[in-house]
Amino acid sequence: MVACLWRAAAADPRAEIHRAASALDDLRYPEAVRLLDAAWRAGGSSPAELRRLFALAGTAAASMGDGPAAQIWFTRWLCLEPSARLPAGSSPKLAVQLEAARRELAGRALAAHAARREGGIAVVVVDDHG
């Protein structure tokens, strides 16, 4: 038996994030989360794009009252940007979810290093439980 694995080419992450930000601006929160989740899973985003994606997804999830999902997205954002802050004037319900994610992390961080090996690259991820 022969198995062929392939992955469709990912859409431009910037375009997808822009579409999701527009959906968020139009209060179409479920659509924004769906677009951002698809963009994240497709891969190809730069660290800056991932930070924006996670912040927007957390904002959309919190805005529609999905606290657990908001905390997951905000936790991902905080892993990339530990000092992340919401824009001034953001809704208190967003701030509550971001701070809950910050408490959940409790100062933990991930560190990774990569080394070229024969046939590829080895990545070692270290979970620092503080």
Side-chain angles (χ1 to χ4, degrees):
M1 180 175 161
V2 176
C4 294
L5 301 176
W6 62 275
R7 184 174 183 174
D12 176 13
R14 287 168 290 180
E16 293 298 307
I17 293 168
H18 179 75
R19 287 180 51 215
S22 292
L24 184 62
D25 289 344
D26 293 340
L27 309 181
R28 293 178 286 137
Y29 304 128
E31 181 182 348
V33 170
R34 181 183 53 76
L35 289 167
L36 292 161
D37 185 64
W40 175 58
R41 291 177 188 282
S45 298
S46 70
E49 289 163 344
L50 283 174
R51 288 191 297 272
R52 181 150 198 259
L53 186 156
F54 294 151
L56 290 171
T59 297
S63 294
M64 63 185 188
D66 190 346
Q71 285 185 34
I72 290 169
W73 289 111
F74 282 151
T75 297
R76 292 172 180 157
W77 181 26
L78 291 167
C79 285
L80 294 177
E81 188 176 347
S83 63
R85 299 277 178 238
L86 294 166
S90 293
S91 167
K93 72 180 177 179
L94 301 179
V96 165
Q97 298 304 326
L98 179 60
E99 291 313 310
R102 196 179 310 279
R103 281 191 308 278
E104 178 69 25
L105 284 174
R108 288 182 292 169
L110 290 177
H113 62 273
R116 187 174 304 276
R117 302 276 190 235
E118 185 177 321
I121 297 174
V123 178
V124 177
V125 178
V126 180
D127 182 3
D128 174 15
H129 291 287

